[in-house]
Short mmCIF file of all heavy atoms in Angstrom, two decimals:
data_model
loop_
_atom_site.label_atom_id
_atom_site.label_comp_id
_atom_site.label_asym_id
_atom_site.label_seq_id
_atom_site.Cartn_x
_atom_site.Cartn_y
_atom_site.Cartn_z
N MET A 26 11.24 14.54 -6.28
CA MET A 26 11.28 13.12 -6.70
C MET A 26 10.09 12.80 -7.59
O MET A 26 8.98 13.05 -7.24
CB MET A 26 11.26 12.23 -5.44
CG MET A 26 11.09 10.81 -5.72
SD MET A 26 11.07 9.86 -4.20
CE MET A 26 10.34 8.40 -4.76
N ALA A 27 10.39 12.25 -8.73
CA ALA A 27 9.29 11.87 -9.66
C ALA A 27 8.58 10.65 -9.14
O ALA A 27 9.25 9.73 -8.62
CB ALA A 27 9.83 11.63 -11.04
N SER A 28 7.32 10.61 -9.26
CA SER A 28 6.53 9.46 -8.73
C SER A 28 5.65 8.86 -9.84
O SER A 28 5.21 9.61 -10.68
CB SER A 28 5.69 9.89 -7.57
OG SER A 28 4.79 8.88 -7.17
N LYS A 29 5.42 7.61 -9.78
CA LYS A 29 4.49 6.97 -10.76
C LYS A 29 3.08 7.19 -10.28
O LYS A 29 2.13 6.85 -11.00
CB LYS A 29 4.80 5.50 -10.89
CG LYS A 29 4.70 4.69 -9.62
CD LYS A 29 5.13 3.29 -9.85
CE LYS A 29 5.23 2.54 -8.49
NZ LYS A 29 5.76 1.21 -8.70
N PHE A 30 2.85 7.79 -9.18
CA PHE A 30 1.51 8.12 -8.67
C PHE A 30 1.19 9.58 -8.98
O PHE A 30 2.01 10.48 -8.79
CB PHE A 30 1.42 7.93 -7.15
CG PHE A 30 1.71 6.45 -6.81
CD1 PHE A 30 2.95 6.13 -6.35
CD2 PHE A 30 0.74 5.49 -6.95
CE1 PHE A 30 3.22 4.79 -6.00
CE2 PHE A 30 1.00 4.17 -6.65
CZ PHE A 30 2.25 3.80 -6.14
N ALA A 31 -0.01 9.82 -9.45
CA ALA A 31 -0.45 11.13 -9.82
C ALA A 31 -0.98 11.88 -8.63
O ALA A 31 -2.21 12.08 -8.46
CB ALA A 31 -1.49 11.06 -10.91
N ASN A 32 -0.09 12.25 -7.68
CA ASN A 32 -0.52 12.90 -6.49
C ASN A 32 -1.26 14.18 -6.78
O ASN A 32 -0.90 15.02 -7.57
CB ASN A 32 0.72 13.25 -5.63
CG ASN A 32 0.34 13.73 -4.26
OD1 ASN A 32 -0.63 13.25 -3.67
ND2 ASN A 32 1.12 14.62 -3.72
N GLY A 33 -2.40 14.37 -6.10
CA GLY A 33 -3.23 15.53 -6.30
C GLY A 33 -4.30 15.39 -7.36
O GLY A 33 -5.15 16.25 -7.49
N ASN A 34 -4.23 14.35 -8.17
CA ASN A 34 -5.17 14.14 -9.24
C ASN A 34 -6.45 13.46 -8.67
O ASN A 34 -6.37 12.73 -7.66
CB ASN A 34 -4.67 13.31 -10.34
CG ASN A 34 -3.67 14.11 -11.21
OD1 ASN A 34 -3.52 15.26 -11.06
ND2 ASN A 34 -3.02 13.41 -12.12
N GLN A 35 -7.54 13.64 -9.35
CA GLN A 35 -8.77 12.92 -8.96
C GLN A 35 -8.89 11.60 -9.73
O GLN A 35 -8.48 11.55 -10.90
CB GLN A 35 -9.95 13.80 -9.22
CG GLN A 35 -10.00 14.99 -8.30
CD GLN A 35 -11.45 15.28 -7.87
OE1 GLN A 35 -12.39 14.73 -8.38
NE2 GLN A 35 -11.57 16.16 -6.91
N VAL A 36 -9.39 10.60 -9.04
CA VAL A 36 -9.60 9.30 -9.67
C VAL A 36 -11.06 8.90 -9.40
O VAL A 36 -11.66 9.35 -8.43
CB VAL A 36 -8.66 8.19 -9.13
CG1 VAL A 36 -7.23 8.51 -9.53
CG2 VAL A 36 -8.75 8.07 -7.62
N GLN A 37 -11.59 8.05 -10.25
CA GLN A 37 -12.97 7.55 -10.04
C GLN A 37 -12.87 6.24 -9.29
O GLN A 37 -12.05 5.35 -9.66
CB GLN A 37 -13.67 7.31 -11.37
CG GLN A 37 -14.19 8.56 -11.99
CD GLN A 37 -15.22 9.25 -11.16
OE1 GLN A 37 -14.99 10.36 -10.69
NE2 GLN A 37 -16.33 8.62 -10.85
N VAL A 38 -13.66 6.08 -8.25
CA VAL A 38 -13.65 4.81 -7.44
C VAL A 38 -15.00 4.19 -7.63
O VAL A 38 -16.05 4.85 -7.56
CB VAL A 38 -13.39 5.17 -5.96
CG1 VAL A 38 -13.46 3.90 -5.13
CG2 VAL A 38 -12.04 5.88 -5.79
N LYS A 39 -14.99 2.86 -7.79
CA LYS A 39 -16.24 2.13 -7.90
C LYS A 39 -16.16 1.05 -6.77
O LYS A 39 -15.31 0.16 -6.81
CB LYS A 39 -16.36 1.45 -9.30
CG LYS A 39 -17.63 0.68 -9.48
CD LYS A 39 -17.67 0.12 -10.91
CE LYS A 39 -18.96 -0.62 -11.18
NZ LYS A 39 -19.00 -1.13 -12.53
N ALA A 40 -17.07 1.12 -5.84
CA ALA A 40 -17.13 0.19 -4.70
C ALA A 40 -18.40 -0.67 -4.88
O ALA A 40 -19.48 -0.17 -5.10
CB ALA A 40 -17.16 0.93 -3.41
N ILE A 41 -18.20 -2.01 -4.76
CA ILE A 41 -19.29 -2.96 -4.83
C ILE A 41 -19.48 -3.56 -3.46
O ILE A 41 -18.54 -4.25 -2.97
CB ILE A 41 -19.03 -4.00 -5.94
CG1 ILE A 41 -18.78 -3.33 -7.26
CG2 ILE A 41 -20.24 -4.95 -6.06
CD1 ILE A 41 -18.33 -4.25 -8.39
N CYS A 42 -20.67 -3.39 -2.90
CA CYS A 42 -20.97 -3.94 -1.56
C CYS A 42 -21.29 -5.43 -1.71
O CYS A 42 -21.56 -5.93 -2.77
CB CYS A 42 -22.16 -3.20 -0.93
SG CYS A 42 -21.82 -1.45 -0.68
N ALA A 43 -21.28 -6.09 -0.56
CA ALA A 43 -21.58 -7.53 -0.48
C ALA A 43 -22.94 -7.82 -1.04
O ALA A 43 -23.19 -8.88 -1.61
CB ALA A 43 -21.46 -8.04 0.94
N ASP A 44 -23.89 -6.86 -0.84
CA ASP A 44 -25.27 -7.08 -1.38
C ASP A 44 -25.40 -6.74 -2.85
O ASP A 44 -26.49 -6.82 -3.41
CB ASP A 44 -26.28 -6.31 -0.54
CG ASP A 44 -26.14 -4.80 -0.68
OD1 ASP A 44 -25.28 -4.35 -1.44
OD2 ASP A 44 -26.92 -4.08 -0.07
N GLY A 45 -24.29 -6.34 -3.50
CA GLY A 45 -24.32 -6.11 -4.92
C GLY A 45 -24.50 -4.61 -5.29
O GLY A 45 -24.42 -4.23 -6.43
N THR A 46 -24.84 -3.76 -4.27
CA THR A 46 -25.04 -2.35 -4.59
C THR A 46 -23.71 -1.73 -4.94
O THR A 46 -22.64 -2.08 -4.46
CB THR A 46 -25.59 -1.55 -3.36
OG1 THR A 46 -25.52 -2.32 -2.19
CG2 THR A 46 -26.87 -0.97 -3.59
N VAL A 47 -23.76 -0.83 -5.94
CA VAL A 47 -22.57 -0.16 -6.46
C VAL A 47 -22.60 1.27 -6.06
O VAL A 47 -23.60 1.95 -6.18
CB VAL A 47 -22.50 -0.32 -8.01
CG1 VAL A 47 -21.35 0.44 -8.55
CG2 VAL A 47 -22.48 -1.79 -8.42
N SER A 48 -21.47 1.73 -5.58
CA SER A 48 -21.32 3.15 -5.25
C SER A 48 -20.11 3.70 -6.03
O SER A 48 -19.03 3.06 -6.04
CB SER A 48 -21.03 3.24 -3.76
OG SER A 48 -21.36 4.49 -3.24
N GLU A 49 -20.33 4.84 -6.69
CA GLU A 49 -19.21 5.42 -7.41
C GLU A 49 -18.95 6.84 -6.95
O GLU A 49 -19.96 7.55 -6.65
CB GLU A 49 -19.51 5.43 -8.93
CG GLU A 49 -19.52 4.02 -9.52
CD GLU A 49 -19.63 4.05 -11.03
OE1 GLU A 49 -18.86 4.79 -11.65
OE2 GLU A 49 -20.51 3.32 -11.57
N PHE A 50 -17.72 7.20 -6.82
CA PHE A 50 -17.36 8.59 -6.36
C PHE A 50 -15.97 8.94 -6.78
O PHE A 50 -15.18 8.10 -7.19
CB PHE A 50 -17.48 8.64 -4.78
CG PHE A 50 -16.63 7.63 -4.09
CD1 PHE A 50 -15.37 7.89 -3.69
CD2 PHE A 50 -17.19 6.35 -3.81
CE1 PHE A 50 -14.56 6.97 -2.97
CE2 PHE A 50 -16.42 5.39 -3.11
CZ PHE A 50 -15.12 5.72 -2.73
N SER A 51 -15.67 10.23 -6.69
CA SER A 51 -14.34 10.74 -7.00
C SER A 51 -13.51 10.79 -5.75
O SER A 51 -14.05 11.05 -4.66
CB SER A 51 -14.42 12.14 -7.61
OG SER A 51 -15.06 12.07 -8.85
N ALA A 52 -12.23 10.58 -5.87
CA ALA A 52 -11.32 10.67 -4.71
C ALA A 52 -10.02 11.40 -5.15
O ALA A 52 -9.63 11.29 -6.31
CB ALA A 52 -10.99 9.29 -4.16
N LEU A 53 -9.43 12.08 -4.24
CA LEU A 53 -8.21 12.75 -4.49
C LEU A 53 -7.03 11.86 -4.11
O LEU A 53 -7.01 11.32 -3.01
CB LEU A 53 -8.15 14.04 -3.65
CG LEU A 53 -6.97 15.01 -3.86
CD1 LEU A 53 -7.00 15.54 -5.28
CD2 LEU A 53 -7.08 16.13 -2.86
N VAL A 54 -6.09 11.65 -5.00
CA VAL A 54 -4.92 10.82 -4.72
C VAL A 54 -4.02 11.59 -3.76
O VAL A 54 -3.61 12.71 -4.01
CB VAL A 54 -4.12 10.50 -6.04
CG1 VAL A 54 -2.87 9.71 -5.74
CG2 VAL A 54 -5.04 9.73 -7.00
N ARG A 55 -3.65 10.91 -2.63
CA ARG A 55 -2.83 11.53 -1.64
C ARG A 55 -1.71 10.57 -1.19
O ARG A 55 -1.90 9.84 -0.24
CB ARG A 55 -3.65 11.96 -0.43
CG ARG A 55 -4.54 13.17 -0.66
CD ARG A 55 -3.79 14.43 -1.01
NE ARG A 55 -2.73 14.71 -0.04
CZ ARG A 55 -2.83 15.64 0.95
NH1 ARG A 55 -3.92 16.28 1.11
NH2 ARG A 55 -1.82 15.85 1.76
N ILE A 56 -0.70 10.43 -1.94
CA ILE A 56 0.49 9.74 -1.58
C ILE A 56 1.59 10.80 -1.62
O ILE A 56 2.10 11.09 -2.67
CB ILE A 56 0.76 8.52 -2.51
CG1 ILE A 56 -0.42 7.55 -2.44
CG2 ILE A 56 2.06 7.86 -2.16
CD1 ILE A 56 -0.24 6.33 -3.31
N ASP A 57 1.90 11.32 -0.46
CA ASP A 57 2.72 12.51 -0.40
C ASP A 57 4.23 12.29 -0.18
O ASP A 57 5.00 13.20 -0.43
CB ASP A 57 2.21 13.41 0.76
CG ASP A 57 0.75 13.86 0.55
OD1 ASP A 57 0.40 14.06 -0.64
OD2 ASP A 57 0.00 14.02 1.52
N THR A 58 4.60 11.18 0.34
CA THR A 58 6.05 10.92 0.65
C THR A 58 6.50 9.64 0.06
O THR A 58 5.70 8.75 -0.18
CB THR A 58 6.25 10.93 2.24
OG1 THR A 58 5.60 9.73 2.74
CG2 THR A 58 5.70 12.15 2.88
N PRO A 59 7.83 9.52 -0.02
CA PRO A 59 8.40 8.23 -0.55
C PRO A 59 8.00 7.05 0.40
O PRO A 59 7.76 5.95 -0.07
CB PRO A 59 9.88 8.44 -0.53
CG PRO A 59 10.01 9.93 -0.72
CD PRO A 59 8.87 10.50 0.02
N GLN A 60 7.93 7.30 1.73
CA GLN A 60 7.55 6.29 2.65
C GLN A 60 6.11 5.79 2.43
O GLN A 60 5.83 4.58 2.46
CB GLN A 60 7.66 6.79 4.09
CG GLN A 60 7.57 5.66 5.12
CD GLN A 60 8.69 4.66 5.03
OE1 GLN A 60 9.84 5.01 4.86
NE2 GLN A 60 8.32 3.39 5.11
N GLU A 61 5.20 6.75 2.10
CA GLU A 61 3.82 6.37 1.80
C GLU A 61 3.79 5.48 0.53
O GLU A 61 2.91 4.59 0.42
CB GLU A 61 2.95 7.57 1.67
CG GLU A 61 2.70 8.28 2.97
CD GLU A 61 1.94 9.57 2.87
OE1 GLU A 61 1.80 10.09 1.72
OE2 GLU A 61 1.53 10.09 3.88
N ILE A 62 4.64 5.73 -0.41
CA ILE A 62 4.68 4.89 -1.61
C ILE A 62 5.04 3.48 -1.26
O ILE A 62 4.43 2.54 -1.71
CB ILE A 62 5.67 5.44 -2.66
CG1 ILE A 62 5.14 6.79 -3.21
CG2 ILE A 62 5.94 4.44 -3.80
CD1 ILE A 62 6.17 7.49 -4.08
N LEU A 63 6.00 3.32 -0.35
CA LEU A 63 6.40 1.97 0.10
C LEU A 63 5.23 1.26 0.80
O LEU A 63 4.97 0.10 0.58
CB LEU A 63 7.60 2.05 1.10
CG LEU A 63 8.95 2.40 0.47
CD1 LEU A 63 9.98 2.62 1.52
CD2 LEU A 63 9.38 1.32 -0.50
N TYR A 64 4.53 1.99 1.67
CA TYR A 64 3.33 1.41 2.36
C TYR A 64 2.32 0.92 1.35
O TYR A 64 1.83 -0.14 1.41
CB TYR A 64 2.71 2.39 3.31
CG TYR A 64 3.55 2.83 4.46
CD1 TYR A 64 3.29 4.04 5.11
CD2 TYR A 64 4.59 2.02 4.94
CE1 TYR A 64 4.06 4.46 6.19
CE2 TYR A 64 5.35 2.44 6.00
CZ TYR A 64 5.08 3.66 6.62
OH TYR A 64 5.82 4.08 7.66
N TYR A 65 2.08 1.76 0.34
CA TYR A 65 1.10 1.46 -0.68
C TYR A 65 1.52 0.20 -1.48
O TYR A 65 0.70 -0.72 -1.73
CB TYR A 65 0.89 2.65 -1.62
CG TYR A 65 -0.04 2.34 -2.77
CD1 TYR A 65 -1.41 2.38 -2.60
CD2 TYR A 65 0.44 2.02 -4.03
CE1 TYR A 65 -2.31 2.05 -3.63
CE2 TYR A 65 -0.42 1.68 -5.07
CZ TYR A 65 -1.79 1.73 -4.89
OH TYR A 65 -2.62 1.44 -5.90
N GLU A 66 2.77 0.17 -1.90
CA GLU A 66 3.28 -0.93 -2.66
C GLU A 66 3.23 -2.29 -1.92
O GLU A 66 3.15 -3.36 -2.53
CB GLU A 66 4.68 -0.65 -3.20
CG GLU A 66 4.70 0.39 -4.24
CD GLU A 66 6.14 0.82 -4.68
OE1 GLU A 66 7.06 0.64 -3.90
OE2 GLU A 66 6.25 1.36 -5.79
N HIS A 67 3.32 -2.20 -0.61
CA HIS A 67 3.32 -3.42 0.23
C HIS A 67 1.87 -3.74 0.69
O HIS A 67 1.68 -4.74 1.40
CB HIS A 67 4.21 -3.23 1.50
CG HIS A 67 5.67 -3.39 1.13
ND1 HIS A 67 6.34 -4.57 1.29
CD2 HIS A 67 6.55 -2.49 0.63
CE1 HIS A 67 7.58 -4.41 0.89
NE2 HIS A 67 7.74 -3.18 0.51
N GLY A 68 0.89 -3.01 0.30
CA GLY A 68 -0.47 -3.29 0.65
C GLY A 68 -0.93 -2.67 1.97
O GLY A 68 -1.96 -3.04 2.49
N GLY A 69 -0.15 -1.76 2.53
CA GLY A 69 -0.48 -1.09 3.75
C GLY A 69 0.64 -1.08 4.71
O GLY A 69 1.65 -1.82 4.55
N ILE A 70 0.54 -0.28 5.78
CA ILE A 70 1.64 -0.18 6.73
C ILE A 70 1.88 -1.46 7.50
O ILE A 70 2.98 -1.80 7.80
CB ILE A 70 1.38 1.06 7.69
CG1 ILE A 70 2.59 1.32 8.53
CG2 ILE A 70 0.14 0.81 8.56
CD1 ILE A 70 2.58 2.63 9.31
N LEU A 71 0.76 -2.17 7.85
CA LEU A 71 0.95 -3.45 8.58
C LEU A 71 1.78 -4.44 7.81
O LEU A 71 2.70 -5.05 8.32
CB LEU A 71 -0.42 -3.99 9.01
CG LEU A 71 -0.34 -5.33 9.71
CD1 LEU A 71 0.42 -5.18 11.05
CD2 LEU A 71 -1.75 -5.86 9.98
N GLN A 72 1.40 -4.67 6.55
CA GLN A 72 2.15 -5.61 5.70
C GLN A 72 3.59 -5.16 5.53
O GLN A 72 4.52 -5.96 5.54
CB GLN A 72 1.46 -5.76 4.37
CG GLN A 72 0.18 -6.47 4.42
CD GLN A 72 -0.99 -5.56 4.76
OE1 GLN A 72 -0.82 -4.41 5.15
NE2 GLN A 72 -2.19 -6.13 4.68
N TYR A 73 3.84 -3.86 5.40
CA TYR A 73 5.17 -3.33 5.26
C TYR A 73 6.00 -3.64 6.54
O TYR A 73 7.12 -4.17 6.45
CB TYR A 73 5.16 -1.82 5.05
CG TYR A 73 6.52 -1.18 5.00
CD1 TYR A 73 7.31 -1.25 3.90
CD2 TYR A 73 7.04 -0.54 6.14
CE1 TYR A 73 8.58 -0.66 3.84
CE2 TYR A 73 8.27 0.03 6.10
CZ TYR A 73 9.05 -0.04 5.00
OH TYR A 73 10.29 0.50 4.96
N VAL A 74 5.46 -3.37 7.71
CA VAL A 74 6.15 -3.56 8.95
C VAL A 74 6.43 -5.08 9.16
O VAL A 74 7.54 -5.47 9.56
CB VAL A 74 5.36 -2.99 10.13
CG1 VAL A 74 5.97 -3.42 11.48
CG2 VAL A 74 5.34 -1.49 10.07
N LEU A 75 5.47 -5.91 8.85
CA LEU A 75 5.66 -7.35 9.01
C LEU A 75 6.77 -7.85 8.11
O LEU A 75 7.62 -8.68 8.52
CB LEU A 75 4.33 -8.10 8.75
CG LEU A 75 3.24 -7.96 9.79
CD1 LEU A 75 1.95 -8.60 9.33
CD2 LEU A 75 3.68 -8.43 11.14
N ARG A 76 6.80 -7.38 6.88
CA ARG A 76 7.86 -7.81 5.96
C ARG A 76 9.22 -7.33 6.43
O ARG A 76 10.23 -8.07 6.36
CB ARG A 76 7.58 -7.28 4.54
CG ARG A 76 6.48 -8.07 3.87
CD ARG A 76 6.33 -7.63 2.40
NE ARG A 76 5.25 -8.37 1.77
CZ ARG A 76 4.08 -7.90 1.46
NH1 ARG A 76 3.82 -6.61 1.65
NH2 ARG A 76 3.19 -8.66 0.91
N GLN A 77 9.30 -6.14 7.00
CA GLN A 77 10.55 -5.62 7.54
C GLN A 77 11.00 -6.47 8.72
O GLN A 77 12.19 -6.82 8.84
CB GLN A 77 10.41 -4.18 7.98
CG GLN A 77 10.10 -3.23 6.86
CD GLN A 77 11.20 -3.23 5.77
OE1 GLN A 77 12.40 -3.07 6.10
NE2 GLN A 77 10.82 -3.40 4.56
N LEU A 78 10.05 -6.85 9.61
CA LEU A 78 10.43 -7.70 10.73
C LEU A 78 10.89 -9.10 10.29
O LEU A 78 11.89 -9.60 10.81
CB LEU A 78 9.19 -7.85 11.68
CG LEU A 78 8.82 -6.62 12.47
CD1 LEU A 78 7.48 -6.85 13.14
CD2 LEU A 78 9.89 -6.25 13.46
N LEU A 79 10.23 -9.66 9.34
CA LEU A 79 10.60 -10.98 8.86
C LEU A 79 11.96 -10.91 8.15
O LEU A 79 12.73 -11.87 8.25
CB LEU A 79 9.54 -11.54 7.91
CG LEU A 79 8.28 -12.05 8.55
CD1 LEU A 79 7.25 -12.38 7.52
CD2 LEU A 79 8.57 -13.21 9.42
N ALA A 80 12.24 -9.83 7.43
CA ALA A 80 13.52 -9.72 6.72
C ALA A 80 14.70 -9.61 7.67
O ALA A 80 15.79 -10.05 7.37
CB ALA A 80 13.50 -8.52 5.80
N SER A 81 14.44 -9.01 8.87
CA SER A 81 15.54 -8.82 9.85
C SER A 81 15.69 -10.00 10.79
O SER A 81 16.69 -10.09 11.52
CB SER A 81 15.34 -7.52 10.62
OG SER A 81 14.16 -7.67 11.45
N LYS A 82 14.78 -10.90 10.75
CA LYS A 82 14.80 -12.12 11.68
C LYS A 82 15.79 -13.15 11.16
O LYS A 82 15.73 -13.51 9.98
CB LYS A 82 13.42 -12.71 11.79
CG LYS A 82 13.31 -13.78 12.76
CD LYS A 82 11.87 -14.34 12.88
CE LYS A 82 11.80 -15.48 13.82
NZ LYS A 82 10.47 -16.06 13.89
N PRO A 83 16.73 -13.61 11.97
CA PRO A 83 17.65 -14.62 11.56
C PRO A 83 16.93 -15.95 11.18
O PRO A 83 16.02 -16.33 11.87
CB PRO A 83 18.61 -14.84 12.70
CG PRO A 83 18.08 -14.08 13.84
CD PRO A 83 16.91 -13.26 13.38
N ARG A 84 17.34 -16.51 10.12
CA ARG A 84 16.67 -17.80 9.72
C ARG A 84 17.42 -18.96 10.37
O ARG A 84 18.63 -18.99 10.43
CB ARG A 84 16.71 -17.95 8.22
CG ARG A 84 15.92 -16.82 7.54
CD ARG A 84 15.92 -17.04 6.03
NE ARG A 84 15.29 -15.89 5.43
CZ ARG A 84 14.07 -15.94 4.87
NH1 ARG A 84 13.38 -17.05 4.91
NH2 ARG A 84 13.52 -14.89 4.33
N PRO A 85 16.64 -19.99 10.78
CA PRO A 85 17.32 -21.15 11.39
C PRO A 85 18.08 -21.94 10.34
O PRO A 85 17.70 -21.98 9.17
CB PRO A 85 16.13 -21.98 11.97
CG PRO A 85 14.91 -21.53 11.23
CD PRO A 85 15.21 -20.07 10.79
N GLU A 86 19.17 -22.51 10.80
CA GLU A 86 19.98 -23.33 9.88
C GLU A 86 19.28 -24.67 9.65
O GLU A 86 18.70 -25.22 10.56
CB GLU A 86 21.39 -23.58 10.45
CG GLU A 86 22.17 -22.29 10.48
CD GLU A 86 23.62 -22.59 10.97
OE1 GLU A 86 24.13 -23.70 10.68
OE2 GLU A 86 24.19 -21.72 11.58
N THR A 87 19.36 -25.15 8.47
CA THR A 87 18.79 -26.46 8.14
C THR A 87 19.90 -27.52 8.20
O THR A 87 20.98 -27.31 7.83
CB THR A 87 18.10 -26.47 6.78
OG1 THR A 87 19.09 -26.16 5.79
CG2 THR A 87 16.92 -25.50 6.70
N VAL A 88 19.49 -28.66 8.75
CA VAL A 88 20.41 -29.76 8.82
C VAL A 88 20.15 -30.67 7.63
O VAL A 88 19.01 -31.09 7.39
CB VAL A 88 20.24 -30.53 10.14
CG1 VAL A 88 21.22 -31.70 10.19
CG2 VAL A 88 20.47 -29.60 11.33
N GLY A 89 21.13 -31.02 6.89
CA GLY A 89 20.85 -31.78 5.72
C GLY A 89 21.88 -32.65 5.35
O GLY A 89 22.28 -33.41 4.73
#
């Protein structure tokens, strides 16, 4: 499966701490499965699961 993520490539990360200090380092991209892509696109596994739960919950009918 082709992915828009460059799995296995190195990326440069720049982290800025609350006190203003900057830390830069290299990281290896590891998004190995289609499911991990979904988690990433949703902002993490928790957000993904919550969206799935909300999508399956019946919505109350509105009286109007």
Side-chain angles (χ1 to χ4, degrees):
M26 171 181 162
S28 171
K29 60 186 171 185
F30 299 100
N32 190 34
N34 286 352
Q35 290 218 350
V36 293
Q37 281 300 116
V38 178
K39 182 178 183 179
I41 304 172
C42 298
D44 67 2
T46 12
V47 176
S48 202
E49 293 188 49
F50 55 92
S51 294
L53 186 64
V54 176
R55 289 296 309 261
I56 298 180
D57 298 326
T58 67
Q60 190 65 44
E61 289 174 349
I62 292 172
L63 288 174
Y64 295 157
Y65 177 80
E66 289 175 338
H67 282 266
I70 190 169
L71 178 60
Q72 290 83 352
Y73 174 81
V74 170
L75 290 174
R76 285 187 181 108
Q77 295 301 308
L78 289 171
L79 286 172
S81 66
K82 184 178 178 182
R84 298 182 185 254
E86 291 185 31
T87 57
V88 178

